Amino acid sequence: STVICVFEKDAIGIDNDLLVNSGRSLETLVSVGMQLGVSTRTFARSTLI
Amino acid sequence: MGNGNSREAKESRRSRLRHKLQKFRIHRRHLRSSRNSAGMVIQRTVSAEDFSGIALLTLIGAEMKFKDKWLACVSFGEQTFRTEISDTTQKPIWNSEKKLLLEKNGPSLARVSVFETNRVARNKIIGYCELDIFDFVVQEPESTCKSFNLLDPTSSNVVGSIFLSCAIEDPVETERRFAKRILSIVDYNEDGQLSFSEFSDLIKAFGNLVAANKKEELFKAADLNGDGVVTIDELAALLALQQEQEPIINNCPVCGEALQVSDKLNAMIHMTLCFDEGTGNQVMTGGFLTDRQASYGWMFKLSEWTHLSTYDVGLNTGSSASYIVVIDRKSKRLVEELIDSKIVLSMRAIYQSKIGLRLMDQGAKEILQRLSEKQGKKMSSVESAQKIPRFLEFFKDQINMAEVKYPLQHFKTFNEFFIRELKPGARPIACMNRNDVAVCAADCRLMAFQSVEDSTRFWIKGKKFSIRGLLGKNVNPNAFLDGSLVIFRLAPQDYHRFHVPVSGVIEQFVDVSGSLYTVNPIAVNSKYCNVFTENKRTVAIISTAEFGKVAFVAIGATMVGSINFVRKEGEHVKKGDELGYFSFGG
């Protein structure tokens, strides 16, 4: 089984080590709660729902 | 009817059939002798008693005495197969085929039963007949249609008739097809030629160390012009020749069973049927698959989850083991995860070949669904709890019971253990007070791409992959087009609950129906396979202040097709909160 998360374009800056490994077609062993990335912009919640 | 003959007559017919098959073998010997470019004459003694072959039985249709929906079953040896259910009619037509193995001292009597099936009388047997397959093929060598009376099992009255045909497949043709088929499996780029590395993979899967050490020699012998590649036909000829001189296939590359090297024809027939089983290649499929059959079939091999219920399909099989290499983020070290090479080969055969996927017709998808449902029931039974200690032993370095919320005796079924919870704090959440930091949603092997284009360049090779396809037609994809993609792949030993990666509000859940293909990298990396857009899945849309909308897609897979969410639409969720879990089932 697999989970895929899709973020809006340019909404997240994914941690570099994860991107580097993936760019080598290499999966990274991670655990729940480890940092994935940081938001790159702020959204107004009122526009979301 | 085909039964009721005297023993003498039966023996006589068998002798005729053996004679017929022997003629095939003599023809094959001549064929090989004449095409042996080295000028070597192959002497092979074939005993008339060394009988073996494949019979193609076709259930054409029946004439019954009243209208209903009908299905027919064939029982042969330990196996039972069924047709589809007909329309409501007095004259059902099935045209269902099944290949049966005829072997020395093996079963020869087939029992064909016809059932009526409707809401009142579900699958009630109406009539049956028995026929000796050996007799049939001797009497009707050209596979003509033959009628058999159907008898009432309680009174022996005739209740209808059934029309069958049966033919022996030419062993020479079977062997030729087999050689091409097995070699085409490793022709990954399907250019009709095999490189040395493609050839090496195949020899490795045969489980013969001697042959593995000679693979350069074997390859060189076939590569007559020395250009580093050989055609499939050349290699098929070489393989056949080598089999005559010194068998190189010790184990069936499909089911792993040790083959009798002295009985080459039987070994080849075993592998041919093994390839066919469960691929959807045959019209009549095993509606009543036994566990033994299922564990020998392709479908059951098409998942890395297989060994959870069949530990004999071991991952620690020495030379036949392969590895998936991942990098441990914490230790920054490469880790080799064992995977049985037979499973790898099976997956490649189906998922990375156009031919393989063509075989995966609707029937095969249904088998995957049924196997997963069956597995779900099995793993939810009290008896399944007995598997937990062996599972823990198998993954002793990867499952830390100290962080599991409940002690071992708490789990009454394997499925309960599979969806085990962890103690509070067992998974620290990064930057808990900062909602602008997203976290990993599962214990898993992760792939992350800043753009969809990167994901398809480096990882997802299915030609039909798109965000629109992933989210399904009931989710507006506009916000996510050209977005970033993170793939969390869970392995059997992993903690199987998934968590919220970002804080926000769950806007909606959308179920998307689909198949239960494996989500193993072999399938994901196949240009012919589109697991992320064809598998059963549930899409959750989470609205956040920091990341906008985030689509959380939980995708089911072979054996583990049950997707369960523990939060509801409209709920506020905080990153790290448990969101749901995968469990065994369809």
Side-chain angles (χ1 to χ4, degrees):
Chain A
S1 20
T2 283
V3 167
I4 297 183
C5 285
V6 189
F7 291 83
E8 294 182 24
K9 184 176 164 64
D10 300 328
I12 185 172
I14 296 170
D15 283 7
N16 199 49
D17 64 321
L18 301 175
L19 290 176
V20 169
N21 293 340
S22 302
R24 296 163 60 199
S25 301
L26 181 64
E27 293 176 301
T28 309
L29 206 56
V30 297
S31 302
V32 168
M34 281 185 177
Q35 182 167 316
L36 180 64
V38 181
S39 165
T40 51
R41 55 194 169 115
T42 301
F43 293 78
R45 191 182 289 271
S46 59
T47 64
L48 301 175
I49 299 175
Chain B
M1 298 282 290
N3 41 355
N5 297 311
S6 71
R7 176 178 280 189
E8 291 76 18
K10 195 177 283 184
E11 280 307 309
S12 165
R13 287 189 188 113
R14 288 186 184 199
S15 297
R16 283 162 57 197
L17 183 58
R18 286 185 187 120
H19 180 67
K20 182 180 166 187
L21 282 162
Q22 193 176 15
K23 273 171 61 186
F24 280 131
R25 289 182 182 142
I26 291 165
H27 167 65
R28 182 178 54 181
R29 274 214 307 278
H30 287 184
L31 203 70
R32 284 189 181 141
S33 298
S34 63
R35 73 182 173 205
N36 183 353
S37 59
M40 189 188 301
V41 177
I42 301 159
Q43 295 294 333
R44 185 181 177 210
T45 53
V46 179
S47 158
E49 295 302 314
D50 180 23
F51 175 81
S52 188
I54 292 175
L56 180 66
L57 178 69
T58 306
L59 270 59
I60 298 165
E63 274 186 21
M64 308 304 292
K65 293 193 171 171
F66 57 94
K67 279 189 179 180
D68 209 329
K69 292 180 177 175
W70 304 94
L71 70 87
C73 286
V74 177
S75 296
F76 186 74
E78 294 175 8
Q79 301 175 314
T80 299
F81 306 95
R82 56 161 282 188
T83 65
E84 296 293 311
I85 296 171
S86 74
D87 294 332
T88 302
T89 177
Q90 201 171 331
K91 295 179 180 178
I93 300 290
W94 299 294
N95 280 325
S96 290
E97 296 176 345
K98 185 68 197 173
K99 283 181 184 172
L100 304 171
L101 173 61
L102 297 179
E103 57 188 340
K104 186 183 175 187
N105 300 325
S108 66
L109 198 67
R111 182 186 171 101
V112 184
S113 308
V114 176
F115 294 78
E116 68 167 318
T117 175
N118 56 50
R119 281 184 189 171
V120 182
R122 281 190 75 84
N123 295 359
K124 182 186 172 192
I125 185 166
I126 298 298
Y128 79 100
C129 69
E130 289 183 340
L131 63 144
D132 190 304
I133 299 289
F134 283 98
D135 290 343
F136 193 115
V137 291
V138 170
Q139 288 167 358
E140 305 291 344
E142 301 308 318
S143 187
T144 49
C145 173
K146 196 175 175 187
S147 164
F148 290 81
N149 284 337
L150 288 169
L151 305 180
D152 183 329
T154 55
S155 65
S156 292
N157 292 333
V158 175
V159 292
S161 48
I162 189 163
F163 306 100
L164 311 171
S165 71
C166 191
I168 288 284
E169 189 172 286
D170 178 347
V172 177
E173 183 61 16
T174 302
E175 186 172 283
R176 192 185 64 79
R177 280 189 196 158
F178 171 71
K180 288 191 93 167
R181 187 172 180 179
I182 198 164
L183 290 169
S184 68
I185 285 172
V186 287
D187 180 21
Y188 303 135
N189 59 3
E190 298 191 356
D191 62 354
Q193 297 178 321
L194 295 184
S195 66
F196 178 66
S197 77
E198 288 170 336
F199 180 68
S200 300
D201 279 359
L202 184 62
I203 298 293
K204 198 175 156 194
F206 289 156
N208 182 321
L209 285 176
V210 177
N213 293 333
K214 280 172 58 183
K215 57 185 185 285
E216 284 92 353
E217 192 186 316
L218 292 170
F219 188 80
K220 214 172 169 181
D223 184 15
L224 294 174
N225 62 0
D227 64 352
V229 289
V230 294
T231 66
I232 286 179
D233 281 337
E234 284 173 326
L235 272 175
L238 179 80
L239 193 66
L241 179 62
Q242 287 298 325
Q243 282 294 98
E244 292 288 348
Q245 294 171 336
E246 184 184 348
I248 61 171
I249 306 178
N250 283 20
N251 297 87
C252 171
V254 180
C255 73
E257 187 170 300
L259 301 170
Q260 278 199 319
V261 290
S262 59
D263 192 352
K264 295 163 197 107
L265 186 63
N266 262 331
M268 185 269 300
I269 288 169
H270 165 99
M271 288 186 278
T272 299
L273 291 177
C274 224
F275 269 93
D276 282 345
E277 188 62 56
T279 58
N281 195 24
Q282 297 188 57
V283 178
M284 202 189 317
T285 52
F288 303 100
L289 282 171
T290 62
D291 284 349
R292 182 179 159 81
Q293 267 182 274
S295 67
Y296 276 32
W298 273 102
M299 288 300 113
F300 209 65
K301 300 287 174 200
L302 294 180
S303 170
E304 67 271 41
W305 306 86
T306 307
H307 65 280
L308 289 184
S309 58
T310 59
Y311 289 92
D312 52 325
V313 185
L315 296 184
N316 52 352
T317 48
S319 65
S320 73
S322 296
Y323 300 94
I324 292 180
V325 177
V326 299
I327 187 163
D328 186 335
R329 194 183 199 191
K330 205 183 282 178
S331 67
K332 296 185 171 56
R333 285 183 184 158
L334 288 173
V335 180
E336 288 179 331
E337 296 195 331
L338 271 171
I339 184 164
D340 194 306
S341 70
K342 293 189 289 295
I343 294 173
V344 172
L345 197 70
S346 305
M347 285 188 184
R348 281 182 180 162
I350 292 294
Y351 292 116
Q352 294 196 330
S353 110
K354 199 187 282 180
I355 299 164
L357 279 165
R358 204 180 299 142
L359 296 176
M360 290 279 281
D361 64 359
Q362 193 59 35
K365 287 177 188 174
E366 284 168 4
I367 292 175
L368 275 179
Q369 179 72 34
R370 277 203 301 273
L371 278 174
S372 298
E373 285 170 5
K374 189 177 169 185
Q375 201 66 7
K377 283 182 191 162
K378 198 171 167 185
M379 291 305 191
S380 297
S381 69
V382 176
E383 294 74 34
S384 68
Q386 294 167 7
K387 294 176 185 289
I388 300 172
R390 289 181 70 187
F391 181 76
L392 279 171
E393 174 60 25
F394 200 79
F395 292 112
K396 60 185 172 192
D397 300 327
Q398 295 170 68
I399 298 175
N400 180 6
M401 280 305 291
E403 62 188 14
V404 176
K405 190 173 179 179
Y406 300 109
L408 209 52
Q409 57 271 28
H410 169 84
F411 304 105
K412 303 302 177 207
T413 69
F414 190 91
N415 232 352
E416 281 184 17
F417 174 74
F418 192 68
I419 57 170
R420 61 195 175 274
E421 293 171 75
L422 299 184
K423 288 175 182 168
R427 293 286 179 270
I429 307 301
C431 305
M432 194 62 214
N433 297 322
R434 285 181 54 188
N435 283 346
D436 63 329
V437 175
V439 297
C440 293
D443 282 10
C444 66
R445 293 104 196 88
L446 177 146
M447 294 294 275
F449 304 99
Q450 206 63 59
S451 69
V452 173
E453 190 190 336
D454 283 351
S455 74
T456 53
R457 192 189 324 157
F458 295 116
W459 195 242
I460 306 170
K461 295 299 177 190
K463 285 176 181 170
K464 293 179 188 167
F465 179 77
S466 68
I467 292 295
R468 200 180 293 273
L470 173 70
L471 301 180
K473 59 185 177 190
N474 294 323
V475 173
N476 185 344
N478 291 342
F480 305 104
L481 299 177
D482 301 322
S484 303
L485 214 68
V486 185
I487 303 165
F488 307 86
R489 180 174 68 87
L490 283 73
Q493 66 272 30
D494 287 334
Y495 162 64
H496 257 71
R497 291 178 179 256
F498 45 79
H499 292 242
V500 185
V502 287
S503 300
V505 176
I506 300 177
E507 202 175 286
Q508 64 176 148
F509 287 110
V510 177
D511 291 328
V512 183
S513 60
S515 307
L516 287 174
Y517 294 119
T518 180
V519 288
N520 184 284
I522 293 164
V524 176
N525 297 163
S526 163
K527 63 183 172 181
Y528 304 116
C529 200
N530 298 278
V531 286
F532 294 151
T533 53
E534 289 187 21
N535 270 24
K536 172 188 176 181
R537 56 203 184 275
T538 298
V539 183
I541 303 294
I542 307 170
S543 292
T544 77
E546 293 77 17
F547 296 94
K549 291 188 182 187
V550 177
F552 185 103
V553 188
I555 304 173
T558 322
M559 309 298 167
V560 189
S562 180
I563 307 166
N564 309 274
F565 279 85
V566 297
R567 306 303 292 259
K568 292 188 170 57
E569 284 181 5
E571 277 191 51
H572 286 264
V573 287
K574 195 151 182 59
K575 70 176 188 183
D577 283 354
E578 186 188 321
L579 184 57
Y581 57 89
F582 294 107
S583 61
F584 275 92

